[in-house]
């Protein structure tokens, strides 16, 4: 008996990763924070170029809620907030490095 596409069970791990990292900018945000030492909101926005403030805010909040980033508010005027990789985010960087190397070779 042949298995149909509907009979194959969905991979929970891959669907969770897709949900967490599926945002248009999330991989780039993680890359710049990890490898380019860009930690402030304004610097990330300048680096990403076409992203709106609201979109960047949303992506950063989601990455923080999912445990990939930590946020440090200095409680200053004007506001100063910095983002850093959490332990979970740091552990994901080897995946980002592999993706970047594959992209450099193939894209």
């Amino acid at each position: 008996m042949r298995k149909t596409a509907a009979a194959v069970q969905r991979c929970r791990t891959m669907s969770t990763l897709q949900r967490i990292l599926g945002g248009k900018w999330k991989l780039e945000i993680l890359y710049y924070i990890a490898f380019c030492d860009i930690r402030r909101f304004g610097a990330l926005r300048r680096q990403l170029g076409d992203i709106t403030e609201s979109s960047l805010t949303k992506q950063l909040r989601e990455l923080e809620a999912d445990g990939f980033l930590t946020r440090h508010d200095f409680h200053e005027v004007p506001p100063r907030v910095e983002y850093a990789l959490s332990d979970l985010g740091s552990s994901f960087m080897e995946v980002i490095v592999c993706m970047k190397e594959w992209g450099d070779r193939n894209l």
Side-chain angles (χ1 to χ4, degrees):
M1 179 194 280
R2 285 181 46 187
K3 289 186 178 184
T4 64
V8 177
Q9 193 169 32
R10 193 167 176 200
C11 178
R12 183 170 281 187
T13 301
M14 291 306 293
S15 63
T16 301
L17 279 170
Q18 175 63 30
R19 181 190 55 77
I20 291 170
L21 298 171
K24 180 177 178 181
W25 304 98
K26 288 181 180 178
L27 291 175
E28 270 190 276
I29 290 168
L30 290 171
Y31 176 83
Y32 293 131
I33 290 173
F35 300 111
C36 299
D37 202 33
I38 296 173
R39 306 210 180 267
R40 307 237 355 239
F41 183 92
L44 280 166
R45 184 154 184 235
R46 283 188 298 278
Q47 183 67 38
L48 292 166
D50 294 335
I51 194 168
T52 63
E53 270 190 43
S54 61
S55 184
L56 179 56
T57 298
K58 181 179 184 284
Q59 301 288 293
L60 289 167
R61 285 183 181 158
E62 288 175 2
L63 284 167
E64 182 184 9
D66 289 325
F68 281 76
L69 293 179
T70 60
R71 180 182 186 270
H72 181 72
D73 186 343
F74 289 87
H75 302 290
E76 296 176 353
V77 176
R80 182 166 70 118
V81 174
E82 290 186 357
Y83 295 89
L85 295 176
S86 64
D87 291 341
L88 179 65
S90 293
S91 72
F92 188 69
M93 288 309 100
E94 64 186 74
V95 176
I96 297 278
V97 168
C98 289
M99 291 172 70
K100 170 112 174 38
E101 289 171 353
W102 181 88
D104 289 343
R105 283 191 313 270
N106 296 291
L107 300 178

